[in-house]
Amino acid sequence: MATQVKLSSSNAHNLTVLAASCNVNDILKDISPRWKMQILCKISSGTSQFSRLKDLFPTLSDQILGKRLAELVDEKLVIKNQVPGTVPLQTCYIATPKGIALMEIMDQLHEWGEKEW
């Protein structure tokens, strides 16, 4: 469960100042929750079902995997598809063009981080 920030706290003030000073902070906040980019990476590379994602991340709880998938769908980074004709009804996740573009940026960040300056 996410912790609520008290509006009168210095932490709330700091978050406001950071948001006003640079729009990158909001983007980083959206993509930084634990497991989110790892899940998007696997979906982008073809792993599309909840159970398959769970197999790739055995220490990740079902609750957090479901939460991160819902966030990715809400942010339009992936779409959730029901596979017709399957019993029980199967769900698969597919990266959107927006999600694929984000993964390209993440790959560039990885290359930048690996570079020796």
Side-chain angles (χ1 to χ4, degrees), residues 96-113:
T96 64
K98 181 180 178 182
I100 292 168
L102 177 56
M103 286 314 305
E104 290 170 359
I105 293 167
M106 297 306 289
D107 288 340
Q108 291 171 353
L109 279 173
H110 175 76
E111 289 174 18
W112 174 82

Side-chain angles (χ1 to χ4, degrees), residues 13-30:
H13 175 71
N14 289 339
L15 291 172
T16 303
V17 169
L18 286 171
S21 68
C22 182
N23 59 3
V24 171
N25 290 309
D26 287 337
I27 295 164
L28 290 175
K29 186 178 78 148
D30 288 343

Side-chain angles (χ1 to χ4, degrees), residues 1-2 35 39 50 54 59-71:
M1 180 152 90
W35 298 105
I39 294 166
F50 187 98
K54 183 67 178 139
T59 60
L60 177 59
S61 71
D62 289 357
Q63 179 183 7
I64 295 298
L65 177 56
K67 181 178 180 178
R68 294 298 177 250
L69 287 167
E71 291 168 357

